[in-house]
Amino acid sequence: MDKPKIPLSQIVYGRFIYWLCITAAVICTIGPVVAIASPDNNFMNPHYLFSAIWEGKNPEMIWLQMGNGFPGGNFWLHNLSTGDGLIQFGLAIGCSSASVALMATAIAYFREKPRAYKWALLSLWIAVMIILSALGTYQT
């Protein structure tokens, strides 16, 4: 029995998702090790953070107690060398993997013969919606 030929667009999407999620998982695994190994080199000291969580404090109270309130979703950009910054970076890679994979898939759709313009445009549309959602511009 002959195996069905897998379309290039599906192979491209699968490889991008696979490798970006593996990369994100590795970074998210290294982040807590760095955070615990050097608790003073974090945006928020994990010992005080866990203590506040176990005491049942709400997130707003914890952010105020640890610093000057919540600094925004992209605080990790300026704190990439810290453990919690590394964890957030890994999460950002994992969450954005679908948009990157969809953009690569759109390129594959444009390159195959016959060109699948509708699928390519749909892939780009969904990638843009993911990016706008991640930026907080588009909300459902």
Side-chain angles (χ1 to χ4, degrees), residues 24-55:
V26 168
I27 292 171
C28 285
T29 302
I30 294 170
V33 173
V34 172
I36 299 298
S38 58
D40 294 332
N41 185 29
N42 283 301
F43 190 75
M44 293 179 14
N45 188 317
H47 300 299
Y48 297 124
L49 173 64
F50 291 132
S51 173
I53 290 171
W54 301 140
E55 290 172 6

PDB file of all heavy atoms in Angstrom, residues 24-55:
ATOM      1  N   ALA A  24      11.093  26.254  23.630  1.00  0.00           N
ATOM      2  CA  ALA A  24      10.400  26.924  24.731  1.00  0.00           C
ATOM      3  C   ALA A  24      10.431  26.073  25.995  1.00  0.00           C
ATOM      4  O   ALA A  24      10.658  26.590  27.094  1.00  0.00           O
ATOM      5  CB  ALA A  24       8.952  27.233  24.329  1.00  0.00           C
ATOM      6  N   ALA A  25      10.218  24.774  25.846  1.00  0.00           N
ATOM      7  CA  ALA A  25      10.220  23.884  27.010  1.00  0.00           C
ATOM      8  C   ALA A  25      11.597  23.833  27.667  1.00  0.00           C
ATOM      9  O   ALA A  25      11.706  23.843  28.907  1.00  0.00           O
ATOM     10  CB  ALA A  25       9.776  22.481  26.601  1.00  0.00           C
ATOM     11  N   VAL A  26      12.648  23.797  26.869  1.00  0.00           N
ATOM     12  CA  VAL A  26      14.008  23.766  27.427  1.00  0.00           C
ATOM     13  C   VAL A  26      14.301  25.063  28.177  1.00  0.00           C
ATOM     14  O   VAL A  26      14.817  25.047  29.298  1.00  0.00           O
ATOM     15  CB  VAL A  26      15.049  23.515  26.310  1.00  0.00           C
ATOM     16  CG1 VAL A  26      16.457  23.762  26.804  1.00  0.00           C
ATOM     17  CG2 VAL A  26      14.911  22.098  25.774  1.00  0.00           C
ATOM     18  N   ILE A  27      13.947  26.194  27.570  1.00  0.00           N
ATOM     19  CA  ILE A  27      14.179  27.482  28.232  1.00  0.00           C
ATOM     20  C   ILE A  27      13.357  27.589  29.514  1.00  0.00           C
ATOM     21  O   ILE A  27      13.859  28.056  30.549  1.00  0.00           O
ATOM     22  CB  ILE A  27      13.870  28.647  27.268  1.00  0.00           C
ATOM     23  CG1 ILE A  27      14.898  28.664  26.139  1.00  0.00           C
ATOM     24  CG2 ILE A  27      13.869  29.980  27.999  1.00  0.00           C
ATOM     25  CD1 ILE A  27      14.575  29.638  25.025  1.00  0.00           C
ATOM     26  N   CYS A  28      12.111  27.134  29.469  1.00  0.00           N
ATOM     27  CA  CYS A  28      11.260  27.176  30.664  1.00  0.00           C
ATOM     28  C   CYS A  28      11.727  26.199  31.739  1.00  0.00           C
ATOM     29  O   CYS A  28      11.357  26.334  32.899  1.00  0.00           O
ATOM     30  CB  CYS A  28       9.806  26.894  30.290  1.00  0.00           C
ATOM     31  SG  CYS A  28       9.000  28.268  29.475  1.00  0.00           S
ATOM     32  N   THR A  29      12.507  25.211  31.377  1.00  0.00           N
ATOM     33  CA  THR A  29      13.071  24.287  32.352  1.00  0.00           C
ATOM     34  C   THR A  29      14.332  24.872  32.984  1.00  0.00           C
ATOM     35  O   THR A  29      14.579  24.685  34.177  1.00  0.00           O
ATOM     36  CB  THR A  29      13.397  22.936  31.682  1.00  0.00           C
ATOM     37  OG1 THR A  29      12.204  22.421  31.104  1.00  0.00           O
ATOM     38  CG2 THR A  29      13.941  21.941  32.673  1.00  0.00           C
ATOM     39  N   ILE A  30      15.114  25.582  32.198  1.00  0.00           N
ATOM     40  CA  ILE A  30      16.341  26.193  32.711  1.00  0.00           C
ATOM     41  C   ILE A  30      16.016  27.395  33.605  1.00  0.00           C
ATOM     42  O   ILE A  30      16.701  27.634  34.609  1.00  0.00           O
ATOM     43  CB  ILE A  30      17.256  26.611  31.531  1.00  0.00           C
ATOM     44  CG1 ILE A  30      17.741  25.372  30.794  1.00  0.00           C
ATOM     45  CG2 ILE A  30      18.431  27.449  32.002  1.00  0.00           C
ATOM     46  CD1 ILE A  30      18.436  25.657  29.478  1.00  0.00           C
ATOM     47  N   GLY A  31      14.982  28.142  33.277  1.00  0.00           N
ATOM     48  CA  GLY A  31      14.610  29.346  34.020  1.00  0.00           C
ATOM     49  C   GLY A  31      14.438  29.138  35.516  1.00  0.00           C
ATOM     50  O   GLY A  31      15.033  29.874  36.318  1.00  0.00           O
ATOM     51  N   PRO A  32      13.644  28.157  35.967  1.00  0.00           N
ATOM     52  CA  PRO A  32      13.489  27.953  37.410  1.00  0.00           C
ATOM     53  C   PRO A  32      14.793  27.552  38.108  1.00  0.00           C
ATOM     54  O   PRO A  32      15.016  27.927  39.258  1.00  0.00           O
ATOM     55  CB  PRO A  32      12.454  26.828  37.506  1.00  0.00           C
ATOM     56  CG  PRO A  32      11.708  26.882  36.236  1.00  0.00           C
ATOM     57  CD  PRO A  32      12.685  27.344  35.208  1.00  0.00           C
ATOM     58  N   VAL A  33      15.647  26.822  37.394  1.00  0.00           N
ATOM     59  CA  VAL A  33      16.942  26.447  37.986  1.00  0.00           C
ATOM     60  C   VAL A  33      17.767  27.703  38.242  1.00  0.00           C
ATOM     61  O   VAL A  33      18.344  27.872  39.320  1.00  0.00           O
ATOM     62  CB  VAL A  33      17.700  25.459  37.057  1.00  0.00           C
ATOM     63  CG1 VAL A  33      19.096  25.197  37.567  1.00  0.00           C
ATOM     64  CG2 VAL A  33      16.920  24.162  36.911  1.00  0.00           C
ATOM     65  N   VAL A  34      17.787  28.609  37.261  1.00  0.00           N
ATOM     66  CA  VAL A  34      18.510  29.871  37.425  1.00  0.00           C
ATOM     67  C   VAL A  34      17.866  30.704  38.538  1.00  0.00           C
ATOM     68  O   VAL A  34      18.570  31.309  39.362  1.00  0.00           O
ATOM     69  CB  VAL A  34      18.530  30.660  36.091  1.00  0.00           C
ATOM     70  CG1 VAL A  34      19.099  32.054  36.273  1.00  0.00           C
ATOM     71  CG2 VAL A  34      19.313  29.894  35.035  1.00  0.00           C
ATOM     72  N   ALA A  35      16.542  30.718  38.590  1.00  0.00           N
ATOM     73  CA  ALA A  35      15.832  31.514  39.600  1.00  0.00           C
ATOM     74  C   ALA A  35      16.124  31.023  41.016  1.00  0.00           C
ATOM     75  O   ALA A  35      16.346  31.831  41.926  1.00  0.00           O
ATOM     76  CB  ALA A  35      14.332  31.477  39.332  1.00  0.00           C
ATOM     77  N   ILE A  36      16.127  29.723  41.208  1.00  0.00           N
ATOM     78  CA  ILE A  36      16.369  29.163  42.549  1.00  0.00           C
ATOM     79  C   ILE A  36      17.854  29.230  42.902  1.00  0.00           C
ATOM     80  O   ILE A  36      18.215  29.458  44.056  1.00  0.00           O
ATOM     81  CB  ILE A  36      15.846  27.714  42.631  1.00  0.00           C
ATOM     82  CG1 ILE A  36      14.337  27.681  42.378  1.00  0.00           C
ATOM     83  CG2 ILE A  36      16.193  27.068  43.948  1.00  0.00           C
ATOM     84  CD1 ILE A  36      13.496  28.441  43.379  1.00  0.00           C
ATOM     85  N   ALA A  37      18.736  29.046  41.913  1.00  0.00           N
ATOM     86  CA  ALA A  37      20.181  29.057  42.175  1.00  0.00           C
ATOM     87  C   ALA A  37      20.670  30.438  42.594  1.00  0.00           C
ATOM     88  O   ALA A  37      21.589  30.543  43.404  1.00  0.00           O
ATOM     89  CB  ALA A  37      20.940  28.582  40.937  1.00  0.00           C
ATOM     90  N   SER A  38      20.087  31.478  42.042  1.00  0.00           N
ATOM     91  CA  SER A  38      20.487  32.846  42.416  1.00  0.00           C
ATOM     92  C   SER A  38      19.239  33.684  42.662  1.00  0.00           C
ATOM     93  O   SER A  38      18.831  34.472  41.809  1.00  0.00           O
ATOM     94  CB  SER A  38      21.365  33.464  41.334  1.00  0.00           C
ATOM     95  OG  SER A  38      20.693  33.472  40.105  1.00  0.00           O
ATOM     96  N   PRO A  39      18.622  33.526  43.837  1.00  0.00           N
ATOM     97  CA  PRO A  39      17.351  34.214  44.110  1.00  0.00           C
ATOM     98  C   PRO A  39      17.450  35.739  44.109  1.00  0.00           C
ATOM     99  O   PRO A  39      16.465  36.412  43.859  1.00  0.00           O
ATOM    100  CB  PRO A  39      16.928  33.679  45.484  1.00  0.00           C
ATOM    101  CG  PRO A  39      18.117  33.021  46.059  1.00  0.00           C
ATOM    102  CD  PRO A  39      19.033  32.692  44.948  1.00  0.00           C
ATOM    103  N   ASP A  40      18.638  36.276  44.372  1.00  0.00           N
ATOM    104  CA  ASP A  40      18.770  37.734  44.370  1.00  0.00           C
ATOM    105  C   ASP A  40      18.875  38.298  42.954  1.00  0.00           C
ATOM    106  O   ASP A  40      18.718  39.493  42.753  1.00  0.00           O
ATOM    107  CB  ASP A  40      20.003  38.151  45.181  1.00  0.00           C
ATOM    108  CG  ASP A  40      19.833  37.826  46.663  1.00  0.00           C
ATOM    109  OD1 ASP A  40      18.669  37.807  47.124  1.00  0.00           O
ATOM    110  OD2 ASP A  40      20.841  37.580  47.332  1.00  0.00           O
ATOM    111  N   ASN A  41      19.150  37.446  41.980  1.00  0.00           N
ATOM    112  CA  ASN A  41      19.254  37.874  40.588  1.00  0.00           C
ATOM    113  C   ASN A  41      17.953  37.557  39.845  1.00  0.00           C
ATOM    114  O   ASN A  41      17.949  36.907  38.807  1.00  0.00           O
ATOM    115  CB  ASN A  41      20.441  37.187  39.892  1.00  0.00           C
ATOM    116  CG  ASN A  41      20.653  37.703  38.496  1.00  0.00           C
ATOM    117  OD1 ASN A  41      20.344  38.853  38.201  1.00  0.00           O
ATOM    118  ND2 ASN A  41      21.154  36.858  37.620  1.00  0.00           N
ATOM    119  N   ASN A  42      16.845  38.005  40.394  1.00  0.00           N
ATOM    120  CA  ASN A  42      15.524  37.816  39.792  1.00  0.00           C
ATOM    121  C   ASN A  42      14.768  39.122  39.851  1.00  0.00           C
ATOM    122  O   ASN A  42      15.074  40.000  40.670  1.00  0.00           O
ATOM    123  CB  ASN A  42      14.724  36.744  40.546  1.00  0.00           C
ATOM    124  CG  ASN A  42      15.177  35.355  40.196  1.00  0.00           C
ATOM    125  OD1 ASN A  42      15.137  34.953  39.050  1.00  0.00           O
ATOM    126  ND2 ASN A  42      15.642  34.620  41.194  1.00  0.00           N
ATOM    127  N   PHE A  43      13.782  39.220  39.013  1.00  0.00           N
ATOM    128  CA  PHE A  43      12.916  40.398  39.070  1.00  0.00           C
ATOM    129  C   PHE A  43      12.160  40.391  40.396  1.00  0.00           C
ATOM    130  O   PHE A  43      12.023  41.418  41.041  1.00  0.00           O
ATOM    131  CB  PHE A  43      11.943  40.386  37.882  1.00  0.00           C
ATOM    132  CG  PHE A  43      11.193  41.657  37.727  1.00  0.00           C
ATOM    133  CD1 PHE A  43      11.812  42.784  37.226  1.00  0.00           C
ATOM    134  CD2 PHE A  43       9.865  41.736  38.096  1.00  0.00           C
ATOM    135  CE1 PHE A  43      11.131  43.971  37.092  1.00  0.00           C
ATOM    136  CE2 PHE A  43       9.173  42.919  37.952  1.00  0.00           C
ATOM    137  CZ  PHE A  43       9.805  44.038  37.458  1.00  0.00           C
ATOM    138  N   MET A  44      11.693  39.210  40.796  1.00  0.00           N
ATOM    139  CA  MET A  44      11.034  39.025  42.089  1.00  0.00           C
ATOM    140  C   MET A  44      11.714  37.860  42.790  1.00  0.00           C
ATOM    141  O   MET A  44      11.858  36.787  42.213  1.00  0.00           O
ATOM    142  CB  MET A  44       9.538  38.735  41.906  1.00  0.00           C
ATOM    143  CG  MET A  44       8.795  39.910  41.352  1.00  0.00           C
ATOM    144  SD  MET A  44       7.011  39.727  41.058  1.00  0.00           S
ATOM    145  CE  MET A  44       6.480  38.305  41.863  1.00  0.00           C
ATOM    146  N   ASN A  45      12.122  38.042  44.026  1.00  0.00           N
ATOM    147  CA  ASN A  45      12.780  36.992  44.788  1.00  0.00           C
ATOM    148  C   ASN A  45      11.813  35.818  44.967  1.00  0.00           C
ATOM    149  O   ASN A  45      10.737  35.974  45.537  1.00  0.00           O
ATOM    150  CB  ASN A  45      13.220  37.524  46.150  1.00  0.00           C
ATOM    151  CG  ASN A  45      14.078  36.539  46.897  1.00  0.00           C
ATOM    152  OD1 ASN A  45      13.795  35.344  46.925  1.00  0.00           O
ATOM    153  ND2 ASN A  45      15.127  37.046  47.515  1.00  0.00           N
ATOM    154  N   PRO A  46      12.183  34.611  44.489  1.00  0.00           N
ATOM    155  CA  PRO A  46      11.244  33.490  44.537  1.00  0.00           C
ATOM    156  C   PRO A  46      10.870  33.060  45.949  1.00  0.00           C
ATOM    157  O   PRO A  46       9.764  32.589  46.177  1.00  0.00           O
ATOM    158  CB  PRO A  46      11.970  32.366  43.798  1.00  0.00           C
ATOM    159  CG  PRO A  46      13.383  32.756  43.744  1.00  0.00           C
ATOM    160  CD  PRO A  46      13.440  34.242  43.847  1.00  0.00           C
ATOM    161  N   HIS A  47      11.766  33.260  46.929  1.00  0.00           N
ATOM    162  CA  HIS A  47      11.443  32.860  48.298  1.00  0.00           C
ATOM    163  C   HIS A  47      10.311  33.717  48.860  1.00  0.00           C
ATOM    164  O   HIS A  47       9.367  33.208  49.461  1.00  0.00           O
ATOM    165  CB  HIS A  47      12.679  32.950  49.186  1.00  0.00           C
ATOM    166  CG  HIS A  47      13.796  32.065  48.731  1.00  0.00           C
ATOM    167  ND1 HIS A  47      13.674  30.692  48.647  1.00  0.00           N
ATOM    168  CD2 HIS A  47      15.051  32.342  48.311  1.00  0.00           C
ATOM    169  CE1 HIS A  47      14.790  30.162  48.207  1.00  0.00           C
ATOM    170  NE2 HIS A  47      15.658  31.160  47.993  1.00  0.00           N
ATOM    171  N   TYR A  48      10.389  35.026  48.634  1.00  0.00           N
ATOM    172  CA  TYR A  48       9.317  35.912  49.090  1.00  0.00           C
ATOM    173  C   TYR A  48       8.049  35.714  48.265  1.00  0.00           C
ATOM    174  O   TYR A  48       6.942  35.791  48.789  1.00  0.00           O
ATOM    175  CB  TYR A  48       9.762  37.377  49.020  1.00  0.00           C
ATOM    176  CG  TYR A  48      10.926  37.687  49.918  1.00  0.00           C
ATOM    177  CD1 TYR A  48      12.091  38.244  49.403  1.00  0.00           C
ATOM    178  CD2 TYR A  48      10.865  37.425  51.285  1.00  0.00           C
ATOM    179  CE1 TYR A  48      13.167  38.527  50.232  1.00  0.00           C
ATOM    180  CE2 TYR A  48      11.935  37.706  52.115  1.00  0.00           C
ATOM    181  CZ  TYR A  48      13.082  38.260  51.582  1.00  0.00           C
ATOM    182  OH  TYR A  48      14.136  38.532  52.385  1.00  0.00           O
ATOM    183  N   LEU A  49       8.232  35.459  46.983  1.00  0.00           N
ATOM    184  CA  LEU A  49       7.091  35.240  46.101  1.00  0.00           C
ATOM    185  C   LEU A  49       6.291  34.024  46.544  1.00  0.00           C
ATOM    186  O   LEU A  49       5.077  34.099  46.719  1.00  0.00           O
ATOM    187  CB  LEU A  49       7.563  35.066  44.655  1.00  0.00           C
ATOM    188  CG  LEU A  49       6.494  34.675  43.636  1.00  0.00           C
ATOM    189  CD1 LEU A  49       5.461  35.773  43.497  1.00  0.00           C
ATOM    190  CD2 LEU A  49       7.135  34.366  42.302  1.00  0.00           C
ATOM    191  N   PHE A  50       6.972  32.886  46.744  1.00  0.00           N
ATOM    192  CA  PHE A  50       6.266  31.679  47.163  1.00  0.00           C
ATOM    193  C   PHE A  50       5.649  31.845  48.542  1.00  0.00           C
ATOM    194  O   PHE A  50       4.552  31.365  48.799  1.00  0.00           O
ATOM    195  CB  PHE A  50       7.197  30.465  47.127  1.00  0.00           C
ATOM    196  CG  PHE A  50       7.579  30.057  45.735  1.00  0.00           C
ATOM    197  CD1 PHE A  50       8.906  29.816  45.411  1.00  0.00           C
ATOM    198  CD2 PHE A  50       6.626  29.915  44.743  1.00  0.00           C
ATOM    199  CE1 PHE A  50       9.263  29.440  44.128  1.00  0.00           C
ATOM    200  CE2 PHE A  50       6.975  29.542  43.455  1.00  0.00           C
ATOM    201  CZ  PHE A  50       8.302  29.306  43.148  1.00  0.00           C
ATOM    202  N   SER A  51       6.333  32.554  49.415  1.00  0.00           N
ATOM    203  CA  SER A  51       5.784  32.809  50.749  1.00  0.00           C
ATOM    204  C   SER A  51       4.484  33.602  50.643  1.00  0.00           C
ATOM    205  O   SER A  51       3.500  33.285  51.307  1.00  0.00           O
ATOM    206  CB  SER A  51       6.815  33.572  51.587  1.00  0.00           C
ATOM    207  OG  SER A  51       6.263  33.961  52.815  1.00  0.00           O
ATOM    208  N   ALA A  52       4.484  34.630  49.798  1.00  0.00           N
ATOM    209  CA  ALA A  52       3.277  35.448  49.627  1.00  0.00           C
ATOM    210  C   ALA A  52       2.144  34.642  48.991  1.00  0.00           C
ATOM    211  O   ALA A  52       0.979  34.797  49.358  1.00  0.00           O
ATOM    212  CB  ALA A  52       3.600  36.678  48.781  1.00  0.00           C
ATOM    213  N   ILE A  53       2.491  33.760  48.069  1.00  0.00           N
ATOM    214  CA  ILE A  53       1.461  32.922  47.433  1.00  0.00           C
ATOM    215  C   ILE A  53       0.858  31.982  48.457  1.00  0.00           C
ATOM    216  O   ILE A  53      -0.368  31.826  48.530  1.00  0.00           O
ATOM    217  CB  ILE A  53       2.063  32.144  46.242  1.00  0.00           C
ATOM    218  CG1 ILE A  53       2.391  33.097  45.104  1.00  0.00           C
ATOM    219  CG2 ILE A  53       1.085  31.064  45.763  1.00  0.00           C
ATOM    220  CD1 ILE A  53       3.175  32.466  43.972  1.00  0.00           C
ATOM    221  N   TRP A  54       1.692  31.346  49.281  1.00  0.00           N
ATOM    222  CA  TRP A  54       1.181  30.395  50.285  1.00  0.00           C
ATOM    223  C   TRP A  54       0.347  31.111  51.339  1.00  0.00           C
ATOM    224  O   TRP A  54      -0.531  30.509  51.933  1.00  0.00           O
ATOM    225  CB  TRP A  54       2.315  29.635  50.952  1.00  0.00           C
ATOM    226  CG  TRP A  54       3.194  28.820  50.045  1.00  0.00           C
ATOM    227  CD1 TRP A  54       4.538  28.694  50.138  1.00  0.00           C
ATOM    228  CD2 TRP A  54       2.821  28.016  48.924  1.00  0.00           C
ATOM    229  NE1 TRP A  54       5.024  27.891  49.137  1.00  0.00           N
ATOM    230  CE2 TRP A  54       3.983  27.465  48.368  1.00  0.00           C
ATOM    231  CE3 TRP A  54       1.610  27.739  48.288  1.00  0.00           C
ATOM    232  CZ2 TRP A  54       3.985  26.638  47.252  1.00  0.00           C
ATOM    233  CZ3 TRP A  54       1.611  26.922  47.168  1.00  0.00           C
ATOM    234  CH2 TRP A  54       2.773  26.380  46.682  1.00  0.00           C
ATOM    235  N   GLU A  55       0.630  32.404  51.583  1.00  0.00           N
ATOM    236  CA  GLU A  55      -0.171  33.177  52.529  1.00  0.00           C
ATOM    237  C   GLU A  55      -1.530  33.557  51.948  1.00  0.00           C
ATOM    238  O   GLU A  55      -2.386  34.062  52.665  1.00  0.00           O
ATOM    239  CB  GLU A  55       0.580  34.439  52.947  1.00  0.00           C
ATOM    240  CG  GLU A  55       1.783  34.162  53.827  1.00  0.00           C
ATOM    241  CD  GLU A  55       2.613  35.413  54.076  1.00  0.00           C
ATOM    242  OE1 GLU A  55       2.191  36.521  53.654  1.00  0.00           O
ATOM    243  OE2 GLU A  55       3.687  35.273  54.683  1.00  0.00           O
TER     244      GLU A  55
END
